[in-house]
Amino acid sequence: MSLLNSIRQSQPNCRADQSIYAEFAARAFGLSYRDLDGGTGLAFSVGSARRTIYFGGGRCSFYPQNHATAATLANDKYLANVVLGDAGVPTLGGQYFFLHQRYRAHRPPGHERADALGYLQHLGGRSFAKPLNGSRGDFAQIVEGEVALLGYLDEVARYYDAVLLQPVVSGDEHRVFVLGDAVLYAARKHPPALRGDGVRSLRQLLQAREQALQPHGISAALPDDAALDAILRDGEVWPIPGRMNRSAGGRMVLEAPAPEQAAIALSAVRALGLRVGAVDLFVNIGAVPGAIRVIEVNANPSIRSLEDCDRADLILRIWRDTFTTMGLLNV
């Protein structure tokens, strides 16, 4: 059994993934690892003979290579698009809208709920919506019509302060992971899928799946479509449109990036001032070869998919860069 597998299997399921990778890398590089929160991985340290560095889970960044301003810009999907657009990086654009009256006096007009309805009409009555500071695909979905948008805003307001509305586009989704001045790896994203049992309808299968996601903090996204009443044959597979996130059941397959994808990803990360970033791209938009847009840039990306792909070597390269940047290892 590999070192990574042995660490994974000996730990509780609730332990933060990145703390497992930090322990794995620390052992591989001869550094010390200490958990500071009873095995949860939410607070831990990695040390050498010279110094100790502390890390935190949850919303804390696992990449101290990224300074606070760059990471904060990337985390705000609207501000990131503004910066990328100014740098000439193609994005999907969009507008942000607040969901609460708090701090109303501190913001400009044009970004309230009523304005969101007008912007939806500007987009043709159909938009891709997501929380402005969301992650893992939570509440990221297509909304059609004013009634659906109002219901969506009411639901999202229970958990978030603002949303981003963007045009709906179709294309192949890719992720390009940048480390320093180079692309470390790239992957094609594939949607989650349902497997039929010959008894339950698509709607029933989706409902069961969404209920399983809720304890993980992933919202339900059940479309109102009569086609969902169909029953799949036993073993038949039906790709679920929309979210591609691993947390929502999507998967990634590593593949070499096209030169244009690599160039845009590098430009996006540099524009935001990041040293580490995962750039999600739409490629071949509308079946037009070479049409590329940045979906978003993640300054604190999960790397669990590398474990899924049996690429522990790439996990070690990422953490070696972290440890070297923080002075725990020599260059």
Side-chain angles (χ1 to χ4, degrees), residues 65-66 175-186 257-259 261-270 274-279 301 314 317-318 321:
Q65 302 96 314
N66 293 334
R175 166 163 287 194
V176 181
F177 192 103
V178 175
L179 181 64
D181 295 321
V183 171
L184 179 63
Y185 71 88
Q261 297 173 31
I264 289 176
L266 287 166
S267 296
V269 167
R270 289 167 182 161
L274 298 170
R275 178 176 169 80
V276 180
V279 184
L314 295 179
R317 286 178 63 180
I318 294 168
D321 186 87

Side-chain angles (χ1 to χ4, degrees), residues 83-319:
V83 172
L84 295 178
D86 188 66
V89 178
T91 72
L92 297 174
Q95 274 294 339
Y96 66 96
F97 301 95
F98 293 101
L99 305 178
H100 303 282
Q101 287 300 306
R102 291 179 302 163
Y103 309 116
R104 176 68 184 83
H106 298 281
R107 59 196 190 223
H111 299 280
E112 307 305 318
R113 283 180 177 239
D115 301 306
L117 294 175
Y119 189 68
L120 180 71
Q121 292 308 309
H122 170 73
L123 295 177
R126 189 168 183 256
S127 173
F128 193 85
K130 54 189 173 183
L132 194 63
N133 299 107
S135 62
R136 300 182 301 156
D138 194 27
F139 286 107
Q141 63 191 73
I142 294 173
V143 291
E144 296 191 55
E146 292 189 0
V147 173
L149 177 60
L150 289 173
Y152 172 83
L153 297 180
D154 286 341
E155 183 65 18
V156 177
R158 299 169 55 195
Y159 307 97
Y160 296 95
D161 294 324
V163 298
L164 180 70
L165 299 184
Q166 296 179 299
V168 176
V169 300
S170 61
D172 303 326
E173 191 167 336
H174 294 252
R175 166 163 287 194
V176 181
F177 192 103
V178 175
L179 181 64
D181 295 321
V183 171
L184 179 63
Y185 71 88
R188 169 77 180 274
K189 290 189 172 187
H190 295 270
L194 296 174
R195 186 174 295 275
D197 58 10
V199 177
R200 290 179 292 175
S201 67
L202 280 172
R203 190 182 310 279
Q204 291 171 319
L205 291 172
L206 274 173
Q207 288 173 339
R209 177 182 176 277
E210 299 294 350
Q211 288 174 359
L213 287 175
Q214 287 178 7
H216 297 277
I218 307 298
S219 64
L222 294 172
D224 186 13
D225 189 339
L228 296 181
D229 293 325
I231 297 176
L232 296 179
R233 297 187 303 273
D234 187 22
E236 183 180 357
V237 175
W238 185 78
I240 304 172
R243 304 169 184 170
M244 295 281 194
N245 307 71
R246 184 189 183 281
S247 53
R251 62 186 180 90
M252 294 200 301
V253 178
L254 299 185
E255 60 180 40
E260 318 85 70
Q261 297 173 31
I264 289 176
L266 287 166
S267 296
V269 167
R270 289 167 182 161
L272 291 168
L274 298 170
R275 178 176 169 80
V276 180
V279 184
D280 291 334
L281 304 168
F282 270 134
V283 178
N284 302 327
I285 295 174
V288 177
I292 302 175
R293 294 290 184 275
V294 171
I295 301 170
E296 60 187 46
V297 180
N298 194 328
N300 191 30
S302 167
I303 53 175
R304 180 66 181 268
S305 292
L306 292 180
E307 184 179 354
D308 297 340
C309 297
D310 197 26
R311 292 303 305 269
D313 59 313
L314 295 179
I315 294 174
L316 288 179
R317 286 178 63 180
I318 294 168
W319 277 96

Side-chain angles (χ1 to χ4, degrees), residues 18 62 81 235 264:
Q18 287 283 30
F62 286 103
N81 279 345
I264 289 176

